[in-house]
Amino acid sequence: MHAFAMASLCRICPLVVVLQLLHIYFLGIYGLKHQTGKDNVTSPPNGKPFPWNKMRLPDMVVPIQYDLCIHPNLTTVHFTGLERIEIFVRENTRFIILHSKGLEITSAVLLPKDDLGSRKPGKQLQVLEHPTYEQIALQAPEVLTAGQRYLVVIEFHARLADGFDGFYKSTYKTRDGETRIIATTDFEPTSARMAFPCFDEPSFKANFAITIRRERKHIALSNMPKIKTIELEGGLLEDHFDVTVKMSTYLVAYIVCDFKSVQATTSSGIKVSIYASPDKWSQTHYALESSVKLLEFYEKYFDISFPLPKLDLVAIPDFQSGAMENWGLITYRETSLLYDAKTSSAFDKLWVTKVIGHELAHQWFGNLVTMEWWNDIWLNEGFARFMELVSVSATYSELQIEDYFLNVCFGAIARDSLNSSHPISNPAETPTQIKEMFDTVSYDKGACILKMLQDFLSEVVFQKGIIHYLKKYSYRNAKNDDLWNSMANTCSESDFSSGNFCYTASRALSSTFSHMGKLTEIEEMMNTWTLQKGIPLVLVKCEGNTLRLRQERFLKGVFEEDPEWANLQSRYFWHIPLTYVTSSSNTVHRHIFKSKTDTLELEGEVTWVKFNVDMNGYYIVHYEGNGWDNIIKLLDQNHTLFSHKDRVNLIHNGFQLVSAGRLSLDTALDLMRYLRHESSNVVLLQGLGYLEMFYHMMERRNISDVTENLKRYILQHFKPVIDKQTWSDEGSVSDRMLRSALLKLACELQYPPCIQKANELFSKWMGSGGTLNLPADVLKTVYSVGAQTIAGWNYLLKQYSLSVSGAEKNKILYALTTSRHCEKLTKLIELGMEGEVIKTQDLAALLHAIARNPEGQGLAWNFVRKNWNRLLKKFELASFSIRTIIVGSTSHFSSKDKLEEVKHFFKSLEDQGSQLKITEVVLETITKNIRWLKRNLNSLRNWLLNNL
């Protein structure tokens, strides 16, 4: 409905306020949207400057409660809003500074909080705008008095956004081909201001009373349960939701849709509902089961009840990231919530479970306790990533998430071993800088250092520390230091009275934890991991029973002989909680390594030592002298001397050291020769992953002799384990994930038995009209082989448009990107840009996949260069999608020509992308690739010739 009717229809305010609004509505409120002056201030018609010149809001005025009434019109794709903000004035001021972006404000009125009973009209507020800072200033005719409360009433309207931020439209097609529109929100980090004027910073917590107007055919959802529905004239319905707990603006959410749901109730009485479009309702049941189980786990683990009476999880048809933790109304990409038993693989099930675990963890880490500012977003995201491991391993042990978590840390190390990395806790002021903080350092490195801290403190002490942190800062904001202080002071009054074990910063540890020294060292230690970038390299030299240790900063693509080496090393050092095992004992030994060099004395006869037990620590280890040769011999003789996680860790460290110029490629490859005897699936996948990476690097560079010999080596060396795979969904999760990866690789390498079986299954599936149920774990492989013919590719595209399973669509889309026909790949990009058959949300992943294809790498890169401005109309500048497109289309390059091309392109972008941190990451990655090839290509060529 049009904005002019909002004041009379939204019943969020008492009747007297509505009358006041009607009385003063036609008093015009004006602002001007142009900039002037050196400070980028806004000048309205009277020439007054914008009264605030900082990106961060002042705290002279703070919000107490928002009463917000929203009406999205899904026919005109507009929305109108009326809000009443109760504010508290902390210092005398004539201005209320808050955020607004893309909203047309038609009225702003000030009402004294204590004067609501009178019929005096409110006082008109002049609206000044500062578009660059996404701020507005509401200027009062007289000074607002410190210590007083006021009401600010604002009317506004805007179009539903076309992208994925703010209050935006999303569409889906029914089985009958009808397109339906829903309206949904996604506010993190700085997009609540696109939906309603607000104090859009995490520390401005407030309560929210939400009212949504809708048609009868729709439902409305928000953070809290609906308490009543009022029927309005003309048949519209108005849903009133209970007042929220105190929370940040980025967690507010509301949806108008026609979805169906399944419900269950937890043992503590929380109503959990999973919503999806009607045709996908049957795919919601696994999410319901896992959500209930995980929510019950978290309530016990954190010893804090979920503070809301209900929790909704909603599968949104258009969603840019994986999910968003809005308090009580979590939104998901469909593939992160829905599980289809016929087409979802073992990995898909793990993915859905861990994303649900991640978002439910946020209900405590992030929602209940929120970082004070975005520089510490890792306190939200690092913890949520870490709690995936804790929660899923406790509730779904069969999914073996502990093994998957190793890859989380490998991903963090890949980024953190570049000089273009950043500290976990890092300054971020602008919306662009804030968005860029949502990266692998904040998420994955954050999770890995928490895993290291948990191993260091013990699970019991670590859990006590985070419970203390959550209870102390509930409904408040916290900083980095607050977490470490909580970890170092876990005593509560109940502990003293009950005699429970706890400790304080001033108290020495019991003998159980004597390896740590005093707990005051926790903050000092952890600051070396959060306030500086990078990852340490521990160099171990064995001299009899004496171990000589050194630590350096680990860098890939930069070598000791390089002139910049010394500068890049200076001032870096860590307090490293080392763990190690030896040949003489399975006992895990511990030592805090907090100097540049150190010495350890081993007891008894020791023939070998292995550091970073089970890779619980976040550091790389280099065994100097003949250390690696000894490890190779040990693996050849009896690889079970080391745990499977330690074997993964050794392989990973070996190849990382090659990239740093510390180890020869021959030695790292020799390390994997024993793999023909390996029985652990996760170790096999790690070793194969490196060989596959080398194969694709050679194939993309058209280095045909090495490409062919790598293919021969893989198929010879791993033939027994490849031939052992069945084309089924049988076995453990790790069995199934190994099968998916091995058969996919074997068919990519044109292994005849693999191609033959895949073609046979594809023909049967195609002959059945797509109704034959193939094993979900081999679908991607079967579809990829089928996509190599024109007829098969066309049929897959048709099935893609018909499928209602997001898991199946992902597999089909990947298969379509493996075509060697450029015109087919071009067609996919066109469809992705149109956004109908292939949704815009999938465009970034599509371009990434096409760039992996040797026939598509140039196509994808040229498309990105030529269509950059078109892409920025679809995605925000620093969004996850834009960063994926940049990395996906360039980071595999390994030639100087391409490096210069990419440099030139980034430089030409100016303020349309050159300022992005990810451009530094990509340029450094390409440089590293060039140096790796120059240093190792001949070694790889000769090693293959000697081992075939």
Side-chain angles (χ1 to χ4, degrees):
M1 183 165 290
H2 197 271
F4 293 117
M6 286 300 294
S8 60
L9 288 176
C10 283
R11 293 182 171 88
I12 61 172
C13 311
L15 178 61
V16 63
V17 177
V18 175
L19 291 171
Q20 289 170 347
L21 284 169
L22 286 171
H23 176 75
I24 56 93
Y25 182 80
F26 292 103
L27 296 173
I29 310 299
Y30 297 101
L32 191 68
K33 298 179 180 176
H34 73 269
Q35 294 172 277
T36 183
K38 293 181 180 178
D39 294 327
N40 283 337
V41 295
T42 297
S43 291
N46 58 17
K48 288 184 181 178
F50 194 85
W52 187 249
N53 63 359
K54 295 178 182 176
M55 187 74 72
R56 300 273 290 272
L57 296 180
D59 60 0
M60 296 177 292
V61 175
V62 294
I64 304 298
Q65 177 163 321
Y66 297 77
D67 288 358
L68 180 63
C69 180
I70 298 289
H71 176 212
N73 186 322
L74 301 189
T75 304
T76 64
V77 204
H78 278 73
F79 69 93
T80 48
L82 171 64
E83 70 177 337
R84 183 184 69 171
I85 312 175
E86 181 182 342
I87 59 170
F88 176 74
V89 178
R90 299 175 64 179
E91 297 176 28
N92 287 354
T93 180
R94 284 190 61 192
F95 295 95
I96 302 163
I97 315 291
L98 63 164
H99 288 106
S100 178
K101 181 183 179 184
L103 301 172
E104 187 69 32
I105 295 173
T106 53
S107 173
V109 174
L110 183 72
L111 299 164
K113 178 73 164 66
D114 299 330
D115 205 19
L116 284 182
S118 76
R119 291 185 174 270
K120 294 179 183 177
K123 293 177 180 177
Q124 170 186 334
L125 294 168
Q126 186 177 29
V127 182
L128 311 178
E129 300 193 11
H130 194 329
T132 304
Y133 286 179
E134 301 174 357
Q135 293 172 358
I136 58 171
L138 305 179
Q139 181 176 351
E142 56 194 41
V143 172
L144 307 183
T145 309
Q148 295 298 307
R149 295 191 180 200
Y150 297 85
L151 294 176
V152 178
V153 183
I154 305 174
E155 290 194 64
F156 56 94
H157 63 91
R159 281 185 63 83
L160 288 171
D162 288 322
F164 303 90
D165 302 297
F167 194 24
Y168 70 95
K169 71 171 183 180
S170 175
T171 63
Y172 73 93
K173 274 191 167 64
T174 66
R175 285 186 189 274
D176 299 330
E178 177 194 354
T179 298
R180 293 185 181 175
I181 297 175
I182 72 165
T184 186
T185 58
D186 193 19
F187 291 162
E188 190 180 33
T190 60
S191 295
R193 64 194 67 172
M194 295 172 65
F196 58 98
C198 57
F199 297 81
D200 199 13
E201 293 178 4
S203 61
F204 287 99
K205 290 194 171 189
N207 303 100
F208 296 83
I210 309 286
T211 301
I212 304 291
R213 298 215 335 262
R214 61 178 172 88
E215 294 182 66
R216 194 175 296 275
K217 65 181 179 181
H218 293 130
I219 61 169
L221 302 170
S222 190
N223 304 84
M224 297 297 287
K226 184 171 64 177
I227 51 176
K228 66 178 176 180
T229 298
I230 298 172
E231 186 160 354
L232 306 173
E233 292 179 12
L236 288 177
L237 301 178
E238 186 174 272
D239 292 332
H240 293 240
F241 296 89
D242 209 347
V243 180
T244 70
V245 294
K246 195 175 178 185
M247 66 186 197
S248 303
T249 48
Y250 78 87
L251 295 170
V252 173
Y254 36 87
I255 300 170
V256 174
C257 63
D258 61 347
F259 288 179
K260 306 298 180 190
S261 66
V262 290
Q263 291 98 22
T265 304
T266 68
S267 55
S268 59
I270 309 299
K271 181 184 174 185
V272 178
S273 304
I274 315 295
Y275 287 85
S277 59
D279 291 340
K280 297 177 181 177
W281 177 85
S282 62
Q283 300 173 43
T284 57
H285 296 86
Y286 176 70
L288 182 65
E289 171 210 307
S290 54
S291 299
V292 168
K293 194 182 281 193
L294 286 160
L295 190 61
E296 290 176 342
F297 167 80
Y298 280 132
E299 287 194 306
K300 289 174 185 168
Y301 185 89
F302 294 137
D303 192 31
I304 299 171
S305 298
F306 181 68
L308 310 185
K310 65 90 178 175
L311 176 64
D312 299 333
L313 296 80
V314 187
I316 304 296
D318 299 279
F319 203 82
Q320 187 167 199
S321 61
M324 177 57 211
E325 65 268 19
N326 317 298
W327 215 346
L329 180 61
I330 308 175
T331 46
Y332 292 78
R333 185 180 278 234
E334 289 180 332
T335 49
S336 298
L337 186 66
L338 305 181
Y339 177 81
D340 176 29
K342 293 178 181 177
T343 59
S344 295
S345 65
F347 180 80
D348 293 330
K349 191 170 195 177
L350 173 61
W351 175 259
V352 167
T353 313
K354 79 182 200 68
V355 176
I356 292 173
H358 182 105
E359 303 309 324
L360 263 59
H362 271 312
Q363 306 301 294
W364 285 265
F365 278 102
N367 299 10
L368 185 65
V369 180
T370 311
M371 75 277 136
E372 190 169 287
W373 183 248
W374 301 106
N375 62 305
D376 278 331
I377 186 59
W378 86 276
L379 290 174
N380 287 18
E381 299 301 350
F383 257 108
R385 178 73 89 230
F386 171 70
M387 290 308 300
E388 294 171 19
L389 170 68
V390 175
S391 64
V392 176
S393 60
T395 53
Y396 289 92
S397 58
E398 70 275 13
L399 293 180
Q400 298 167 288
I401 193 171
E402 297 91 343
D403 291 340
Y404 174 86
F405 192 79
L406 295 171
N407 290 320
V408 171
C409 298
F410 295 155
I413 291 167
R415 171 73 186 274
D416 210 24
S417 55
L418 300 177
N419 192 45
S420 51
S421 184
H422 64 81
I424 284 180
S425 184
N426 197 47
E429 292 298 322
T430 69
T432 295
Q433 291 167 347
I434 291 166
K435 286 188 183 79
E436 286 201 286
M437 286 297 291
F438 290 78
D439 67 355
T440 191
V441 173
S442 297
Y443 283 72
D444 299 342
K445 181 180 179 179
C448 296
I449 67 163
L450 288 170
K451 178 75 174 76
M452 179 170 66
L453 182 61
Q454 181 199 46
D455 179 66
F456 175 67
L457 292 173
S458 82
E459 289 184 19
V460 172
V461 174
F462 179 86
Q463 183 181 356
K464 246 185 178 308
I466 61 175
I467 290 172
H468 180 61
Y469 169 76
L470 289 171
K471 288 184 175 179
K472 182 174 181 180
Y473 294 100
S474 288
Y475 305 105
R476 294 164 59 196
N477 298 81
K479 303 187 296 292
N480 221 22
D481 294 348
D482 298 325
L483 175 63
W484 310 137
N485 289 336
S486 295
M487 288 290 182
N489 295 277
T490 67
C491 292
S492 65
E493 288 184 22
S494 61
D495 288 318
F496 286 118
S497 60
S498 65
N500 289 341
F501 173 81
C502 68
Y503 56 81
T504 67
S506 59
R507 175 173 148 191
L509 289 168
S510 69
S511 59
T512 312
F513 305 109
S514 59
H515 62 272
M516 290 190 299
K518 291 184 179 178
L519 283 159
T520 47
E521 295 178 356
I522 289 181
E523 181 177 354
E524 186 183 356
M525 178 178 84
M526 293 311 295
N527 280 344
T528 69
W529 298 95
T530 59
L531 301 184
Q532 65 179 347
K533 65 183 176 181
I535 176 172
L537 169 65
V538 176
L539 299 105
V540 180
K541 194 168 188 179
C542 194
E543 297 175 356
N545 274 24
T546 301
L547 296 178
R548 303 204 181 278
L549 308 178
R550 291 185 292 132
Q551 64 163 288
E552 294 176 357
R553 180 185 176 194
F554 179 73
L555 285 165
K556 289 199 289 195
V558 184
F559 309 128
E560 275 187 288
E561 61 268 25
D562 293 335
E564 65 267 35
W565 169 264
N567 188 48
L568 291 172
Q569 288 291 335
S570 66
R571 300 185 306 281
Y572 283 90
F573 99 100
W574 290 260
H575 291 195
I576 309 171
L578 294 177
T579 58
Y580 60 98
V581 289
T582 70
S583 57
S584 64
S585 168
N586 285 329
T587 302
V588 177
H589 303 276
R590 298 178 181 274
H591 175 72
I592 299 180
F593 183 17
K594 54 181 180 179
S595 55
K596 281 286 192 180
T597 61
D598 209 344
T599 302
L600 292 176
E601 295 295 333
L602 302 177
E603 296 178 5
E605 280 291 315
V606 174
T607 56
W608 58 263
V609 61
K610 161 69 175 66
F611 278 82
N612 199 0
V613 178
D614 285 341
M615 206 184 145
N616 286 322
Y618 186 74
Y619 52 94
I620 302 288
V621 182
H622 178 35
Y623 302 93
E624 295 188 292
N626 60 358
W628 284 102
D629 292 334
N630 290 340
I631 288 169
I632 290 167
K633 288 175 188 171
L634 285 166
L635 289 171
D636 282 339
Q637 291 164 7
N638 180 12
H639 62 272
T640 60
L641 287 171
F642 305 107
S643 71
H644 79 276
K645 288 182 183 177
D646 276 339
R647 300 197 298 273
V648 171
N649 180 225
L650 287 168
I651 291 170
H652 174 262
N653 274 201
F655 283 99
Q656 296 305 300
L657 290 165
V658 172
S659 294
R662 292 287 187 172
L663 199 65
S664 72
L665 180 60
D666 290 10
T667 304
L669 289 166
D670 287 345
L671 189 67
M672 295 204 301
R673 279 191 317 218
Y674 91 93
L675 283 178
R676 70 188 68 192
H677 307 300
E678 182 58 77
S679 57
S680 165
N681 296 335
V682 68
V683 184
L684 281 168
L685 281 172
Q686 181 67 20
L688 267 169
Y690 283 109
L691 295 173
E692 184 178 1
M693 181 177 71
F694 298 153
Y695 173 81
H696 287 305
M697 180 187 279
M698 299 301 127
E699 186 186 33
R700 278 194 291 261
R701 286 298 304 275
N702 199 26
I703 305 172
S704 54
D705 64 317
V706 182
T707 304
E708 187 59 30
N709 283 338
L710 267 167
K711 170 181 164 180
R712 285 176 58 204
Y713 178 81
I714 293 169
L715 292 178
Q716 281 179 23
H717 203 66
F718 295 95
K719 186 177 188 300
V721 70
I722 292 171
D723 289 344
K724 194 170 71 174
Q725 301 308 309
T726 59
W727 293 71
S728 69
D729 286 338
E730 297 168 356
S732 69
V733 167
S734 77
D735 289 339
R736 294 175 63 185
M737 288 170 76
L738 178 71
R739 175 186 303 128
S740 292
L742 270 179
L743 293 179
K744 175 175 163 289
L745 178 58
C747 280
E748 281 180 1
L749 299 178
Q750 301 300 304
Y751 183 48
C754 185
I755 297 290
Q756 182 183 340
K757 182 65 176 179
N759 271 324
E760 176 192 322
L761 290 173
F762 187 78
S763 296
K764 287 181 179 177
W765 176 74
M766 200 167 155
S768 74
T771 59
L772 179 67
N773 289 330
L774 298 176
D777 293 330
V778 300
L779 277 182
K780 187 183 279 190
T781 298
V782 172
Y783 292 159
S784 296
V785 171
Q788 302 314 305
T789 67
I790 300 293
W793 194 93
N794 291 337
Y795 187 75
L796 280 165
L797 183 59
K798 178 188 169 189
Q799 290 302 116
Y800 179 86
S801 66
L802 296 174
S803 176
V804 293
S805 163
E808 182 180 39
K809 287 171 87 81
N810 272 357
K811 296 174 182 64
I812 293 176
L813 189 58
Y814 173 84
L816 292 170
T817 68
T818 65
S819 171
R820 296 300 169 112
H821 297 280
C822 278
E823 66 274 14
K824 295 296 186 188
L825 301 178
T826 301
K827 172 74 171 173
L828 290 177
I829 295 174
E830 289 170 355
L831 291 172
M833 288 298 285
E834 288 168 10
E836 291 293 327
V837 176
I838 298 173
K839 280 187 165 285
T840 303
Q841 67 174 7
D842 298 315
L843 179 59
L846 173 70
L847 287 167
H848 195 172
I850 289 173
R852 288 185 73 252
N853 181 340
E855 301 302 320
Q857 57 180 340
L859 184 72
W861 168 231
N862 288 333
F863 175 81
V864 170
R865 284 193 293 169
K866 292 174 183 173
N867 294 275
W868 184 251
N869 289 332
R870 289 178 67 197
L871 290 168
L872 288 185
K873 288 177 182 174
K874 294 182 178 293
F875 307 109
E876 294 274 334
L877 180 59
S879 64
F880 172 76
S881 295
I882 285 293
R883 285 180 282 147
T884 299
I885 289 168
I886 290 173
V887 170
S889 61
T890 61
S891 61
H892 56 277
F893 289 145
S894 56
S895 71
K896 288 183 178 178
D897 288 348
K898 287 298 180 188
L899 176 62
E900 290 307 312
E901 217 173 79
V902 175
K903 268 185 189 174
H904 177 74
F905 173 66
F906 287 157
K907 192 174 180 182
S908 72
L909 296 179
E910 297 181 346
D911 64 350
Q912 291 300 301
S914 63
Q915 75 273 42
L916 294 180
K917 186 74 176 171
I918 198 70
T919 61
E920 294 177 39
V921 176
V922 163
L923 291 173
E924 189 177 356
T925 301
I926 298 171
T927 303
K928 172 185 68 71
N929 295 344
I930 293 168
R931 299 198 76 179
W932 192 98
L933 263 183
K934 183 179 179 182
R935 199 174 179 105
N936 297 297
L937 178 57
N938 285 333
S939 296
L940 179 59
R941 179 179 276 123
N942 293 331
W943 189 90
L944 287 167
L945 290 172
N946 293 331
N947 285 273
L948 278 171

